[in-house]
Amino acid sequence: MRRVTMKPLALIPFVALLSIASCEEKTPTAMQESTAELPGPERAAAAATHVLPRIKSDLATRGLHVGDPVFIRAFKEEKLLELFVRDRATGRFELFLSYPIVAASGRLGPKLAEGDYQVPEGFYYVPPSAMKPDSRYHLAFNIGFPNTLDRALGRTGSAIMVHGSDVSIGCLAMTDAKIEEIYTLCDAALHGGQAYFRVHLFPFRMTADRMAQISNTDANFAFWQNLQQGYDAFEKSKIPPDVSVLDKRYIFQDGK
């Protein structure tokens, strides 16, 4: 038995994956039309200029700061993405904003194969090389599917993004206005020294009550029990756990 540490995927050539082939073509929105001709870095800078004054003010009221480490988790059933920022005083990650997911295809359960239209479930890392300011979906970042466990289980797919717009196949669409906020905070954290930020994707809030509703005959039951361990680890400490893989299961240790 060999434990495989899920290191951030910074060494994987994300540029080759960023075509967003899993997301359908669409007509640009008015916001995109106003920035579509800008090179990626300038587009991201324009978005930051637009949203930062308000974000800085909102963070300040919570004792939080732009550029500090961030953490993202999302729930498919609730169609919700949560963005956390680390508190300098406590080291705990505090919920800053919750965003509705306006489009995400598929059903509950992990992504298994390229073209199945499923949104993944599991634990992912986003390094600077996965940020995509030149996305045709305004702004985006690649979550890094397939991760170590996905590959061990033979799951296939690529270019799974959190992006703007209101349409998506296999990705999480957040609207252009909301992705500007999300992207800006994540980009600022990476530029502030965070080597990568974590993205945890769950089928639903993995509370004891919700898990009790799942039949142990469900094909995903054991996998979801494993995901719940990571969910509970964060709920207990408010610090994302370190994740590794052993015998085709996630293993969790206290994060830093």
Side-chain angles (χ1 to χ4, degrees):
M1 293 186 296
R2 184 169 66 91
R3 177 178 295 184
V4 180
T5 300
M6 288 181 57
K7 296 183 181 296
L9 304 179
L11 299 180
I12 292 177
F14 277 98
V15 174
L17 300 178
L18 294 178
S19 63
I20 319 187
S22 58
C23 298
E24 68 182 56
E25 295 288 346
K26 67 180 185 66
T27 301
T29 66
M31 182 180 294
Q32 283 183 295
E33 288 175 344
S34 66
T35 60
E37 300 306 316
L38 291 176
E42 292 182 21
R43 190 186 309 174
T49 298
H50 176 66
V51 302
L52 273 177
R54 176 173 47 79
I55 287 178
K56 285 182 177 179
S57 176
D58 291 346
L59 283 167
T61 64
R62 307 275 301 278
L64 304 174
H65 305 269
V66 170
D68 284 355
V70 299
F71 163 59
I72 286 175
R73 69 178 183 179
F75 304 98
K76 292 160 68 170
E77 185 171 72
E78 291 82 357
K79 297 181 179 178
L80 192 70
L81 181 146
E82 297 178 332
L83 192 150
F84 297 78
V85 179
R86 191 172 70 186
D87 187 302
R88 293 180 181 179
T90 67
R92 292 159 61 94
F93 283 74
E94 301 295 335
L95 179 61
F96 175 52
L97 287 171
S98 297
Y99 297 93
I101 298 168
V102 297
S105 61
R107 61 192 183 281
L108 298 184
K111 182 173 181 63
L112 301 178
E114 183 85 59
D116 65 4
Y117 300 161
Q118 281 289 97
V119 174
E121 295 170 6
F123 304 92
Y124 300 92
Y125 298 88
V126 181
S129 58
M131 303 298 283
K132 185 169 175 59
D134 59 344
S135 169
R136 68 173 181 267
Y137 295 81
H138 193 44
L139 299 167
F141 52 82
N142 188 317
I143 69 164
F145 178 92
N147 64 19
T148 302
L149 179 65
D150 296 320
R151 292 194 297 273
L153 293 172
R155 298 171 181 169
T156 60
S158 61
I160 303 299
M161 306 277 169
V162 176
H163 61 64
S165 178
D166 58 1
V167 295
S168 183
I169 295 179
C171 301
L172 298 180
M174 306 304 302
T175 77
D176 291 348
K178 298 307 182 185
I179 197 61
E180 287 197 348
E181 297 179 7
I182 297 165
Y183 187 99
T184 295
L185 279 169
C186 293
D187 192 51
L190 294 172
H191 279 90
Q194 188 175 16
Y196 54 87
F197 61 90
R198 293 172 170 87
V199 177
H200 292 183
L201 301 180
F202 297 104
F204 39 75
R205 289 197 184 277
M206 310 204 81
T207 63
D209 287 346
R210 182 65 182 89
M211 289 296 290
Q213 298 172 18
I214 302 168
S215 168
N216 59 12
T217 62
D218 190 298
N220 296 308
F221 183 72
F223 176 65
W224 286 343
Q225 284 185 310
N226 191 204
L227 294 188
Q228 187 188 25
Q229 293 175 318
Y231 175 90
D232 287 344
F234 177 74
E235 286 294 293
K236 179 180 178 180
S237 68
K238 296 303 179 184
I239 299 173
D242 289 332
V243 183
S244 58
V245 173
L246 179 65
D247 293 338
K248 298 183 179 180
R249 289 177 57 84
Y250 290 117
I251 303 296
F252 306 96
Q253 295 180 314
D254 291 343
K256 301 179 180 62

